[in-house]
Amino acid sequence: MYSVLLVEDEKIELDTLRDYINWDKVSVDKVYTARNGRSALECIIQNEPDIMITDIQMPIMTGIELAKRVREEGYRTKIIFLTGYDDFEYVKEAFRVQAADYILKPFMTEEVEKLLLKIEKQIDSEKAAEVSVGVAVKHFIEQLCRGDIKEEEAEQTSKHYFECPLNEVTYGLLAVYG
């Protein structure tokens, strides 16, 4: 199950998103709402939602400013922008802050649901990739400790998994005897 933060300064649009999306259909069990960027940032800090759907133009803090702060703070929340502006500059700004996608207003709830399902697949793929890399790294360290890997192969593998040379990687090792 996923969590979603809806950020919209216009009450009617926020209520429409919150009340008319079939959250069960899109595997969402927690829906948070915020009326501006500042309260949205507080919600992200407290709840770390998987997905954020935010308006671009809002008082106090715009959606673009909010997305920049979310990225600066290191959150991996997927960001979908809502905008009533069919302006290419907004689209460019959205993708500069690593937006997953955007939706033009007025929107259809089915369109939002379809996009949420797409984003959830991306999240699942990323999580699977992280697990795979974690398993590969564990296997690599085991081989390295046993001496099964030649130095040249260890160097290449280290660059691949850790994106830096072997002499710059720090390994932790705990030996338990009993």
Side-chain angles (χ1 to χ4, degrees), residues 17 20 31 36 63 70 105 116 127 129 134 141-142:
L17 281 168
Y20 292 102
V31 179
N36 61 58
V70 167
K105 295 179 192 178
L116 285 168
K127 286 181 181 177
I141 291 173
E142 287 173 357

Side-chain angles (χ1 to χ4, degrees), residues 118-132:
K118 177 184 143 191
I119 301 300
E120 289 170 0
K121 285 182 183 177
Q122 288 177 359
I123 292 170
D124 290 344
S125 294
E126 289 171 7
K127 286 181 181 177
E130 286 176 12
V131 169
S132 296

Side-chain angles (χ1 to χ4, degrees), residues 47-64:
N47 303 297
E48 295 188 43
D50 299 301
I51 302 167
M52 175 175 66
I53 301 175
T54 182
D55 190 10
I56 286 184
Q57 289 297 331
M58 296 182 293
I60 303 174
M61 182 187 299
T62 69
I64 298 291

Side-chain angles (χ1 to χ4, degrees), residues 23 49 54 97 103 111 123 128-129 136 138-139 145 148 150-151 157 161:
W23 297 111
T54 182
V97 290
I103 299 171
E111 177 186 11
I123 292 170
K138 179 182 175 203
H139 183 68
C145 291
D148 296 345
K150 296 176 185 165
E151 188 176 334
T157 306
Y161 290 120

Side-chain angles (χ1 to χ4, degrees), residues 4-8 10-24 26 28 30-35 53 82 107 109 112-113 116:
V4 173
L5 169 60
L6 306 173
V7 188
E8 174 62 67
E10 294 183 35
K11 184 175 176 11
I12 215 162
E13 289 184 7
L14 182 64
D15 291 347
T16 299
L17 281 168
R18 184 191 63 221
D19 298 338
Y20 292 102
I21 300 291
N22 184 344
W23 297 111
D24 291 332
V26 294
V28 171
K30 293 179 185 160
V31 179
Y32 307 102
T33 60
R35 297 284 302 273
I53 301 175
L82 279 176
F107 57 85
T109 56
V112 176
E113 290 171 358
L116 285 168

